[in-house]
């Protein structure tokens, strides 16, 4: 017989629609499903919002600026959606831990929990690439905002790196554990030149 579905459990709470105050309070609550993965998505969404704010000081009639703003808004709303997706993605893992499931099922839960946080990391790199394409069009008056947006993206990415490092310690399969830890490190190393270059460029404009 198929497992009976708990319809009530299907009604997911949307944390992305809560206020900053509520999310901050939830993050401090050990019993809340809102964890550092959700905080990483929130930081990434803030980064995208800052890119939009920085672009607001540029020529809005410029086709490249308009395209960048449209894309940044798409990424901003996507990051907000990832707050909820990250919470849903790790729910099976949390249930298995509470139920005392077999080790292989718990390890599978950790692998599943990596899916959305990987998305946060790689989409942050996309956001930086977007900003790089219009970096010459950023007004000096918005340079501080543009630089801050990159710092927020880096914070989100390093949060993902730390989460995956922790998850890797819970995996018994050595190759997968090593890959889980090393993959975000390589992605961050590969984007360092881009991100540090943007920060240096924008900070040099603050005079």
């Amino acid at each position: 017989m198929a497992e009976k579905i708990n319809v009530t459990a299907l009604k997911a709470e949307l944390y992305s629609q809560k206020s900053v105050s509520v999310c901050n309070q939830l993050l401090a609550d050990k019993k809340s499903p809102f964890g550092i993965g959700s905080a990483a998505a929130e930081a990434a969404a803030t980064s995208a919002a800052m890119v939009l704010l920085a672009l607001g000081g540029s020529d809005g009639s410029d086709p490249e600026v308009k395209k960048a703003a449209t894309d940044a808004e798409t990424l901003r709303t996507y990051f907000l959606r990832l707050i909820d997706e990250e919470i849903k993605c790790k729910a099976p893992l949390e249930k298995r831990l509470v139920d005392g499931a077999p080790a292989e099922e718990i390890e599978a839960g950790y692998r599943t929990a990596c899916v959305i946080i990987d998305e946060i990391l790689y989409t942050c790199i996309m956001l930086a690439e977007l900003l790089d394409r219009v970096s010459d069009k950023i007004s000096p008056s918005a340079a501080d905002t543009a630089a801050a947006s990159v710092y927020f993206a880096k914070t989100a990415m390093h949060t993902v790196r730390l989460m995956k490092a922790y998850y890797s310690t819970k995996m018994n399969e050595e190759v997968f554990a090593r890959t889980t830890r090393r993959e975000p490190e390589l992605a961050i190393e590969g984007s360092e030149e881009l991100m540090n270059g943007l920060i240096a460029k924008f900070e040099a404009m603050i005079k």
Side-chain angles (χ1 to χ4, degrees):
M1 182 182 292
E3 183 180 352
K4 187 176 181 181
I5 296 174
N6 182 351
V7 177
T8 304
L10 297 177
K11 188 177 180 181
E13 189 170 6
L14 297 179
Y15 291 85
S16 60
Q17 296 181 9
K18 295 185 182 295
S19 70
V20 172
S21 176
V22 169
C23 286
N24 189 263
Q25 195 170 24
L26 287 168
L27 181 58
D29 184 356
K30 180 68 176 176
K31 297 178 181 177
S32 164
F34 195 101
I36 65 170
S38 307
E42 186 180 26
T46 300
S47 175
M50 287 182 172
V51 170
L52 282 163
L53 181 60
L55 288 171
S58 303
D59 181 5
S61 64
D62 185 305
E64 291 184 357
V65 172
K66 289 174 69 174
K67 176 69 164 58
T70 299
D71 291 346
E73 173 60 14
T74 298
L75 294 182
R76 186 189 70 81
T77 56
Y78 182 58
F79 283 130
L80 287 175
R81 197 173 86 208
L82 290 181
I83 295 175
D84 298 314
E85 293 299 322
E86 194 275 333
I87 291 171
K88 287 191 292 183
C89 195
K90 68 186 179 190
L93 167 63
E94 293 174 347
K95 185 177 186 305
R96 290 170 193 174
L97 289 170
V98 170
D99 293 346
E104 60 270 19
E105 291 186 19
I106 291 176
E107 181 168 343
Y110 277 112
R111 295 187 186 192
T112 301
C114 289
V115 173
I116 297 300
I117 56 175
D118 278 342
E119 195 72 8
I120 295 168
L121 188 150
Y122 289 108
T123 308
C124 279
I125 297 174
M126 287 176 56
L127 180 64
E129 291 170 343
L130 177 160
L131 181 58
D132 184 52
R133 290 194 292 271
V134 290
S135 61
D136 290 337
K137 300 177 186 293
I138 296 294
S139 166
S141 63
D144 56 340
T145 304
S149 75
V150 183
Y151 277 115
F152 268 77
K154 284 168 70 76
T155 295
M157 292 169 67
H158 280 283
T159 301
V160 170
R161 176 184 63 80
L162 292 167
M163 287 184 73
K164 293 195 72 174
Y166 173 73
Y167 286 171
S168 73
T169 67
K170 303 298 181 180
M171 297 173 181
N172 295 317
E173 207 288 303
E174 185 179 348
V175 174
F176 199 89
R178 192 183 310 119
T179 302
T180 298
R181 178 185 285 265
R182 190 64 182 132
E183 187 178 48
E185 293 174 346
L186 290 172
I188 289 172
E189 289 169 12
S191 63
E192 279 290 284
E193 183 177 356
L194 167 65
M195 293 195 157
N196 290 341
L198 284 170
I199 289 170
K201 181 175 186 174
F202 295 136
E203 289 196 4
M205 293 167 63
I206 305 171
K207 298 178 181 178

